[in-house]
Amino acid sequence: MTIKTRFAPSPTGFLHVGGARTALYSWLVAQKLGGEFVLRIEDTDIERSTQSAIDAIMEGMEWLGLDWNEGPYYQTKRFDRYKELIAQLLEQDKAYRCYCPAERLDAMREEQMANGDKPRYDGCCRGLAEQPTDVPHVIRFKTPQTGEVTFSDHVRGTITTQNSELDDLIIQRTDGSPTYNFCVVVDDWDMDITHVVRGEDHINNTPRQINILNALNAPIPEYAHVSMILGDDGKKLSKRHGAVGVMQYRDDGYLPEALLNYLVRLGWSHGDKEVFSVDEMKNLFSLDAINKAASGFNTEKLLWLNNHYIKTSEPAHVASYLEWHMNAQNIDTSNGPALTEIVTALGERVNTLKELATASRCYFEDFEEFDANAAKKHLRGVALEPLKLIGSKLEALEDWTLDNLHMAIEDTAAELEVGMGKVGMPLRVAVTGAGQSPSLDVTLKLVGKARCAQRISEAVKFVSARINS
């Protein structure tokens, strides 16, 4: 048997964190067991489904690297199949037409709730001998009135529901469109889905869907219902917690593998291990090891992971994602160091690629003014002589190498009989505009000889003007 899992989002918004984790878990099951992963767009809610949401889901999946083997399938393109099977159930007396007006159903529901009963359809039309087709109606599935539904959930263990607790759910609306619970069943059957991984909010749907599968003589897949994700404040993760859509994390400067690593740990663990490569996830992940308790989202932990991946990944890999942020911040990288050099030099100093792009601007374009605090502290009168001397030494260099740059700074300090800081700090502010940067030799190397000469000259003018003011 080929293992097949699926991710089946509704295209009514972006790919959110909870959906991305579900997709990841489903993808990992298929990857680990040599199976296939299906992408299915559940767009039966025609009024709320949008093409922009479909695009956002696909973009998020592609950015995360969760590639699918089949799909995307669209439920709206499978209506003929659903109607064929609904007709079959009617013919087999496993479904029936219901003519109850909305007013009757509303009144019944209110009375049941007033009495403290669970709202449910009372089966009024279940035994009707006459079922005209030209009168407005819905079609309901005939839920067995005795017995029980039992299934083994990979996360929650054995779950049993008495059929007497279930009512006859609607499988086709008055307008002829099939409902979610029916479409899901048919899709999972037709697509040979063996494992269904989804949120805990679908637990109550599962016994209903199993009853329909049984009525269709279809195999029952294995289920895993994962718990919700909570925000830092312990409440259900939502927009108020900041970035919820997956692509917002791309925009905020996260690497996809950092987000994947963080998401896989929201409910699953393997000993005390915190950092997992994608290959390690594929080898170690297990549905049976998922914790059924809700998981809390911790932004600081995600930032830590992102910094780890920026520092430890191949510079070329990080640079490929950094390029997007350089473009987003309108930084022209055609005249400056290679982005791999930027990653190597500044990667350990930042938590996000967005920060990295901002911090590297001075290596690609000139700044209009020095940071006020840095200039006040380091571009004083005593900096004039060191700046002039280091400027001349740097200008004389034929080979712009790290060793030569370091030697020029040391020689300047020795010649002036001052500490390295008396040369280094004014020089750092002069060439970067700010008081912080990687080591000076690396900084000078990245800025380049021509830009260094120009900026030191500007710093000398700045200090001279300050002396004479």
Side-chain angles (χ1 to χ4, degrees), residues 13 68 92 121 149 174 227 247 263:
W68 51 93
Q92 295 172 347
Y121 181 61
V149 177
T174 307
S227 297
M247 297 314 290
L263 289 178

Side-chain angles (χ1 to χ4, degrees), residues 37 163 262 326:
F37 178 58
N163 281 323
Y262 186 72
M326 303 297 276

Side-chain angles (χ1 to χ4, degrees), residues 16-29 31-32 64 66 155 197 226-229 246 255-298 301-302 304-305 309:
H16 55 81
V17 166
R21 183 187 63 171
T22 299
L24 172 61
Y25 284 2
S26 298
W27 183 79
L28 287 174
V29 172
Q31 292 288 319
K32 179 176 182 177
L64 288 172
L66 302 180
V155 179
V197 183
V226 298
S227 297
M228 69 175 67
I229 299 174
V246 163
L255 285 166
E257 51 267 37
L259 185 56
L260 286 173
N261 191 154
Y262 186 72
L263 289 178
V264 81
R265 289 282 288 108
L266 280 179
W268 173 81
S269 62
H270 184 77
D272 296 328
K273 188 175 174 63
E274 292 287 347
V275 179
F276 295 86
S277 68
V278 173
D279 283 340
E280 287 174 325
M281 292 183 212
K282 292 178 184 178
N283 292 329
L284 300 174
F285 181 77
S286 167
L287 289 177
D288 296 317
I290 296 175
N291 193 322
K292 64 181 179 181
S295 303
F297 198 93
N298 186 320
K301 187 82 168 285
L302 175 57
W304 176 84
L305 270 174
Y309 279 100

